[in-house]
Amino acid sequence: MFAAYAARIDDADPLSALETGEVPDPTPPDGWVVVDVVASALNHHDLWSLKGVGLGADALPMILGCDAAGRDPDGNEVVVYSVVADPASGKTSILSEKFPGTIAEKVAVPRESLVPKPAELSFAEAACLPTAWLTAYRMLVSCGQVGEGSSVLVQGAGGGVATAAVAIGTALGATVYATSRDATKRERAEKLGAVALESGARLPQRVDCVIETVGEATFDHSLKSLKPGGRLVVSGATSGHLPRVDLRRVFFLDISILGTSMGSRDELAGLLDLCARTGLRPIVDSTFPLSRAKDAFAHLQSGDVFGKVVIENDR
């Protein structure tokens, strides 16, 4: 089968470590099935893998990709939940770390990792959901307790999780504020239903929940933007992981700081249901055929992206 894979590790030039070509078909262990991939989606995790973050040289070559939608052996349309347990050790990892990933014609996964794809979503749309969008859904719903009438601040609009959080928060009926230093990204966030502000700007009101993926550069602003009893939910630290925190604000205002990453299979099913019920759809920045997977990676690395980069099987 045809696939895109990390052939080596190169921290300085990660794209040079990416290869595409024919690889052996998957041979699943007991309890696993082979999914025919119709569409997959890129994450920055894929670029980090090429740099050796979370991927050791002993695991090479490794097919990249965490997200996919396709058809199971019975022809059912499914979405792949990308967190899997090692049958030998029981330890969990994301596809493309210990087990081959999704940027291929086929991928092997545990049968219980398959979630039915709603007919309302295309394969490309469904493929965008299992990583960044699932993380945003968990941050808002399970951790942030956001619902109809809530207020939310999303820091760093434009990033994958942040963009998803703006769209999901709006679909949940919340008032969403989004910050960015980039005027174009603020304009795009407004089109998704957010009130867009420059980074660090004073909000019209304090909010119930802050979605924080930026880290050090925005953390103080996030704390200051919360109501008493508010929840600051963290899933990233792109600007630095050691912010200064005024603990007096935390305990005097009864603020909760919650960390999370990814989500559960049931939460993925909940996200798919929300999309089917409300018309919520992931933002697709661009679509590339599998045969041009290298171009898709280069586009993601360029940073000129708003939404998900999707790869569709053209083989």
Side-chain angles (χ1 to χ4, degrees):
M1 67 175 183
F2 191 87
Y5 57 93
R8 53 196 165 274
I9 300 299
D10 193 325
D11 181 53
D13 185 11
L15 291 185
S16 71
L18 176 67
E19 298 287 350
T20 59
E22 295 295 324
V23 299
D25 284 359
T27 53
D30 290 343
W32 288 44
V33 296
V34 174
V35 173
D36 290 322
V37 177
V38 176
S40 56
L42 291 181
N43 295 281
H44 279 90
H45 179 275
D46 300 308
L47 293 174
W48 285 108
S49 295
L50 291 166
K51 294 182 176 184
V53 178
L55 180 64
D58 59 336
L60 300 176
M62 175 60 74
I63 298 173
L64 298 173
C66 309
D67 297 346
R71 295 182 177 90
D72 71 10
D74 298 319
N76 299 307
E77 297 184 353
V78 296
V79 182
V80 174
Y81 176 59
S82 61
V83 179
V84 298
D86 186 335
S89 67
K91 294 182 179 179
T92 60
S93 63
I94 300 175
L95 289 173
S96 77
E97 292 180 343
K98 293 185 181 296
F99 300 101
T102 59
I103 306 175
E105 293 179 85
K106 301 177 181 181
V107 63
V109 295
R111 184 175 290 278
E112 61 268 21
S113 294
L114 302 182
V115 182
K117 181 185 80 66
E120 293 87 348
L121 274 70
S122 70
F123 283 103
E125 291 168 339
C128 295
L129 300 177
T131 299
W133 277 67
L134 176 58
T135 298
Y137 179 84
R138 177 177 174 83
M139 292 177 79
L140 287 163
V141 176
S142 303
C143 299
Q145 301 173 32
V146 171
E148 184 77 33
S150 298
S151 53
V152 183
L153 167 63
V154 179
Q155 297 280 23
V161 173
T163 300
V166 171
I168 295 170
T170 301
L172 291 169
T175 299
V176 180
Y177 301 97
T179 65
S180 177
R181 294 174 295 178
D182 186 292
T184 300
K185 291 181 179 179
R186 291 197 298 272
E187 182 180 348
R188 289 171 173 171
E190 286 181 343
K191 290 180 179 178
L192 294 177
V195 176
L197 304 163
E198 291 190 14
S199 297
R202 186 184 182 91
L203 304 187
Q205 61 171 317
R206 289 187 179 181
V207 297
D208 299 301
C209 176
V210 175
I211 300 301
E212 176 62 81
T213 61
V214 179
E216 194 169 322
T218 56
F219 208 84
D220 185 60
H221 180 251
S222 294
L223 283 173
K224 290 178 179 177
S225 299
L226 282 166
K227 293 178 180 177
R231 295 167 294 281
L232 199 169
V233 188
V234 185
S235 71
T238 56
S239 69
H241 64 283
L242 296 173
R244 292 174 61 89
V245 178
D246 185 346
L247 292 177
R248 295 167 299 181
R249 180 176 294 275
V250 175
F251 59 76
F252 275 129
L253 297 182
D254 194 23
I255 288 171
S256 299
I257 301 175
L258 307 168
T260 188
S261 179
M262 290 291 291
S264 69
R265 182 194 178 281
D266 287 346
E267 285 166 332
L268 177 57
L271 172 58
L272 288 163
D273 179 67
L274 179 68
C275 290
R277 286 188 294 104
T278 66
L280 171 67
R281 296 293 183 269
I283 299 91
V284 176
D285 172 90
S286 51
T287 301
F288 293 80
L290 179 58
S291 58
R292 291 181 52 212
K294 285 188 175 182
D295 293 336
F297 274 77
H299 180 56
L300 179 63
Q301 188 185 49
S302 75
D304 186 22
V305 174
F306 191 88
K308 300 293 291 181
V309 178
V310 174
I311 296 176
E312 294 183 320
N313 186 4
D314 63 332
R315 303 289 294 183

